[in-house]
């Protein structure tokens, strides 16, 4: 199937919320429920479908055209191979695992349950990740942040140890104090085993898309 799609006349992306564009004279919005609410778009008709997707661990992305809700896209972040084993090893060594995500609580809770993660901090905007880490640090935690996206860069820098996944964005790799060459979370275990000789009471924050 060959499609010819022209560039939109306007485009605005809002991290953690969605994007708006004007295409062929139509105002198109693709984003989460917060984005739709701010734009005055009624999503009540889709609430049952949204809840179903969230309970399945999927992210519900809504699509509106000219203020009318026209579709829902369910996105599923599947755990990386070996994630359960890596997290189990970290927990068995006394490390607290925290999932830090911008997704909604239902979706995050479903993923966390599958991976046996006890603590979830959800609905966190990319710009607020740093404040979450600072709060944990004020609690006396030594933080190792694992991430791979552009939105993780500031949090990786704020953490006591920023661990960047080798397959991630360039900005994340530059922000990380430790860069894992392979896209395998078991390497996080190796890095922690080396560092724990000098660092105790470490909490690890994961975006669930990294798991």
């Amino acid at each position: 199937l060959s499609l010819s799609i022209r560039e939109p006349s306007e485009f605005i992306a809002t991290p953690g919320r969605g994007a708006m564009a004007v295409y062929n004279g139509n105002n198109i919005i693709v984003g989460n429920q917060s984005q739709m609410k701010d734009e005055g778009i009624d999503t009540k008709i889709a609430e049952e479908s949204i809840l179903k997707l969230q309970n399945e661990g999927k992210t519900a992305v809504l699509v509106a055209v000219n203020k009318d809700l026209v579709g829902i896209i369910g996105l599923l972040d599947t755990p990386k191979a070996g994630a359960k084993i890596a997290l189990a090893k970290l927990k068995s060594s006394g490390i607290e695992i925290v999932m830090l995500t911008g997704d909604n609580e239902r979706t995050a809770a479903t993923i966390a349950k599958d991976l046996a993660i006890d603590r979830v901090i959800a609905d966190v905007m990319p710009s607020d990740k740093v404040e979450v880490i600072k709060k944990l640090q004020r609690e006396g935690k030594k933080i190792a942040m694992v991430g791979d996206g552009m939105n993780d860069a500031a949090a990786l820098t704020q953490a006591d140890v920023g661990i960047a996944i080798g397959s991630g964005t360039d900005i994340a790799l530059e922000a990380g104090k430790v860069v894992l060459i392979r896209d395998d979370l078991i390497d996080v275990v190796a890095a922690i085993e080396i560092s724990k000789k000098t660092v105790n009471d470490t909490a690890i924050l994961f975006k669930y898309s990294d798991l």
Side-chain angles (χ1 to χ4, degrees):
L1 181 63
S2 178
L3 295 176
S4 178
I5 301 176
R6 297 192 300 273
E7 292 292 323
S9 56
E10 295 180 31
F11 180 83
I12 301 173
T14 305
R17 297 174 70 82
M20 297 183 290
V22 176
Y23 186 79
N24 278 352
N26 295 300
N27 292 303
I28 301 171
I29 302 174
V30 179
N32 58 21
Q33 283 180 283
S34 295
Q35 175 85 337
M36 296 298 165
K37 182 178 179 181
D38 288 348
E39 296 299 323
I41 297 169
D42 188 0
T43 63
K44 290 181 180 179
I45 192 173
E47 285 182 356
E48 184 176 339
S49 297
I50 293 170
L51 181 59
K52 181 177 182 294
L53 289 172
Q54 292 174 346
N55 287 334
E56 293 172 351
K58 298 174 183 177
T59 300
V61 179
L62 309 180
V63 181
V65 178
N66 297 327
K67 297 292 185 178
D68 291 325
L69 188 67
V70 297
I72 308 173
I73 303 170
L75 302 179
L76 179 63
D77 257 323
T78 56
K80 293 182 184 296
K84 282 188 178 181
I85 295 174
L87 295 178
K89 286 182 177 292
L90 292 169
K91 289 181 70 174
S92 67
S93 66
I95 292 172
E96 179 187 358
I97 310 295
V98 181
M99 178 192 292
L100 178 63
T101 176
D103 218 326
N104 67 86
E105 291 185 5
R106 290 192 189 93
T107 299
T110 301
I111 300 294
K113 182 179 180 181
D114 181 49
L115 294 172
I117 297 175
D118 299 322
R119 185 174 182 183
V120 178
I121 303 175
D123 289 312
V124 181
M125 293 290 288
S127 58
D128 294 332
K129 288 182 179 180
V130 170
E131 291 306 316
V132 172
I133 291 178
K134 286 181 178 179
K135 181 177 183 295
L136 291 170
Q137 289 171 328
R138 288 194 295 269
E139 294 174 2
K141 302 290 186 181
K142 295 294 184 180
I143 306 298
M145 167 74 185
V146 180
D148 66 353
M150 180 173 63
N151 292 332
D152 297 325
L156 287 168
T157 300
Q158 177 60 39
D160 296 278
V161 179
I163 303 177
I165 303 295
S167 61
T169 60
D170 289 342
I171 190 169
L173 297 179
E174 291 176 5
K177 297 180 179 70
V178 176
V179 177
L180 304 180
I181 302 302
R182 300 187 304 166
D183 188 18
D184 191 339
L185 286 181
I186 202 66
D187 289 345
V188 175
V189 179
I192 295 299
E193 287 178 347
I194 293 171
S195 67
K196 72 180 181 180
K197 296 182 183 297
T198 55
V199 179
N200 296 314
D201 192 23
T202 301
I204 299 183
L205 302 181
F206 286 95
K207 280 198 325 174
Y208 78 77
S209 60
D210 296 326
L211 301 175

